[in-house]
């Protein structure tokens, strides 16, 4: 699954620089996560870094974007192939 940011976000700016895929950006009112770039940090870290630093715990799994660990790894490989 991709992660999502809920409206409990306080725009504290700590999650954006932690994302290794640059999937987090400022939205109109709160930060948003691009599901096409979010791999839950699979390929980079053992746990999603944005969740680790979020002070208000507003970054849950997006129930509308179910992905297996294998699918997340495939996405990671596509993203890093484009970057590299």
């Amino acid at each position: 699954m991709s992660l999502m940011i809920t409206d409990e976000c306080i725009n504290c700016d700590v999650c954006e620089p932690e994302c290794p895929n640059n999937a987090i950006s400022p939205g109109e009112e709160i930060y948003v996560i691009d599901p096409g770039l979010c791999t839950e940090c699979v390929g980079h870290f053992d746990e999603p870094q944005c969740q680790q630093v979020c002070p208000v715990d507003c970054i849950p799994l997006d129930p509308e974007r179910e992905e297996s660990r294998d699918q997340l790894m495939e996405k990671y490989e596509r993203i890093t192939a484009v970057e590299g």
Side-chain angles (χ1 to χ4, degrees):
M1 290 184 169
S2 171
L3 299 169
M4 60 183 279
I5 297 176
T6 67
D7 59 5
E8 285 127 18
C9 174
I10 59 171
N11 290 308
C12 66
D13 303 320
V14 298
C15 61
E16 183 182 19
E18 295 300 318
C19 181
N21 295 326
N22 297 313
I24 301 174
S25 62
E28 286 187 30
E29 295 182 25
I30 60 173
Y31 277 86
V32 294
I33 296 178
D34 179 342
L37 294 175
C38 179
T39 63
E40 296 178 46
C41 290
V42 168
H44 294 284
F45 301 101
D46 292 333
E47 296 181 13
Q49 298 302 289
C50 59
Q51 287 180 329
Q52 299 302 307
V53 298
C54 181
V56 292
D57 195 28
C58 68
I59 309 176
L61 292 171
D62 184 344
E64 295 186 18
R65 301 195 183 274
E66 291 190 38
E67 294 171 288
S68 69
R69 186 160 182 84
D70 288 340
Q71 289 171 313
L72 292 169
M73 183 56 84
E74 288 174 17
K75 189 191 306 185
Y76 160 78
E77 290 170 355
R78 282 194 310 272
I79 292 168
T80 57
V82 171
E83 291 176 354

